[in-house]
Amino acid sequence: MRKINGKRVVLPLVCVVLGFMIAFSYNLTKDGKGVVKDKAWDQEYELRQQLIEQEKQNRDLQNELLQKQENVSKIEKDLAQEKQLFFNLAKDTEKYRMFLGKVKVKGSGLQVTLEDGTDMDSEANVNNYLVHEQHVFKVVNELYISGAEAVAINGQRLNHDSYIVCNGPVITIDGHQHPAPFIISAIGDPDVLGASLDLPGGIKEQLVNENIIFTVEKQKNIIFDPIIGG
């Protein structure tokens, strides 16, 4: 009977144990990698969801911002319109105050002088050479139509309800008498005012044909004080 060699028995056993350990280690490592991979995927998925949610919030905030900007723009336009409205009202109020003679006004303008005619013979009717209220009316109305801001006759400023009455060689303006010559001063664009008077067939030509001495001068600085008690 043969003796069993101890080395021959131990060696296969060691190989079996070693193989088992290698296989176990491989499986353990493989399972560990799977767990790590699953955790990484979960984290990536969670971050992706957070990013999607953040992008949605950003879009909502952008839409809200656009809406607020539109509201602000509308408010600004409304305020601009209100500002323009108040500006126009203030401008109109100032214009009406000037027309009523309630405020002092100064500026460049025109001075028209109307004098009684002198070139007449002994048989002529004197009344045909005198300045009458209708002559003054024509000049004053033409100046207002042409854009005059304020008008005065012989230094007496006119207002919205002024009246002019002829009494022989003098005219009465709002109860105050003035003799000829009649100096009509108007504040406004002197070129525009002068051109309106000097039109062919216009006021100047009409009055000259009626024997009135008609002279016009541009003025750089005309000042009208407010009407007291008017």
Side-chain angles (χ1 to χ4, degrees), residues 77-142:
K77 289 180 180 179
D78 292 342
L79 290 175
Q81 291 177 352
E82 288 183 5
K83 182 178 179 181
Q84 185 63 41
L85 176 61
F86 289 138
F87 175 80
N88 292 338
L89 288 174
K91 190 174 181 180
D92 290 342
T93 300
E94 187 66 16
K95 181 176 67 176
Y96 295 142
R97 284 175 177 169
M98 286 193 299
F99 183 64
L100 294 172
K102 299 298 183 181
V103 294
K104 182 177 181 178
V105 60
K106 61 181 179 179
S108 59
L110 213 63
Q111 179 176 289
V112 179
T113 303
L114 304 181
E115 300 181 72
D116 296 335
T118 57
D119 188 14
M120 61 180 176
D121 55 45
S122 58
E123 297 181 358
N125 186 343
V126 176
N127 279 331
N128 294 334
Y129 289 82
L130 297 179
V131 179
H132 297 287
E133 74 269 23
Q134 65 265 26
H135 300 136
V136 177
F137 272 131
K138 287 181 179 180
V139 175
V140 170
N141 289 337
E142 186 65 27

Side-chain angles (χ1 to χ4, degrees), residues 23-37:
F24 179 78
S25 298
Y26 173 78
N27 290 330
L28 183 62
T29 303
K30 183 179 178 181
D31 293 341
K33 287 182 178 180
V35 172
V36 171
K37 185 176 181 180

Side-chain angles (χ1 to χ4, degrees), residues 47-100:
L47 291 174
R48 190 186 303 275
Q49 292 300 115
Q50 291 178 359
L51 180 60
I52 293 173
E53 182 64 24
Q54 190 64 49
E55 289 176 347
K56 181 178 180 302
Q57 291 179 3
N58 289 341
R59 285 195 300 271
D60 293 341
L61 290 174
Q62 287 177 352
N63 291 332
E64 183 179 353
L65 177 61
L66 290 174
Q67 184 62 44
K68 291 185 181 298
Q69 288 176 339
E70 290 180 1
N71 292 338
V72 170
S73 179
K74 183 177 182 302
I75 292 173
E76 289 176 344
K77 289 180 180 179
D78 292 342
L79 290 175
Q81 291 177 352
E82 288 183 5
K83 182 178 179 181
Q84 185 63 41
L85 176 61
F86 289 138
F87 175 80
N88 292 338
L89 288 174
K91 190 174 181 180
D92 290 342
T93 300
E94 187 66 16
K95 181 176 67 176
Y96 295 142
R97 284 175 177 169
M98 286 193 299
F99 183 64
L100 294 172

Side-chain angles (χ1 to χ4, degrees), residues 14-27:
V14 170
C15 290
V16 171
V17 172
L18 183 59
F20 175 77
M21 291 177 64
I22 292 173
F24 179 78
S25 298
Y26 173 78
N27 290 330

Side-chain angles (χ1 to χ4, degrees), residues 101 103-105 157 223-227:
V103 294
K104 182 177 181 178
V105 60
R157 187 173 175 182
I223 300 175
F224 294 152
D225 290 323
I227 299 173

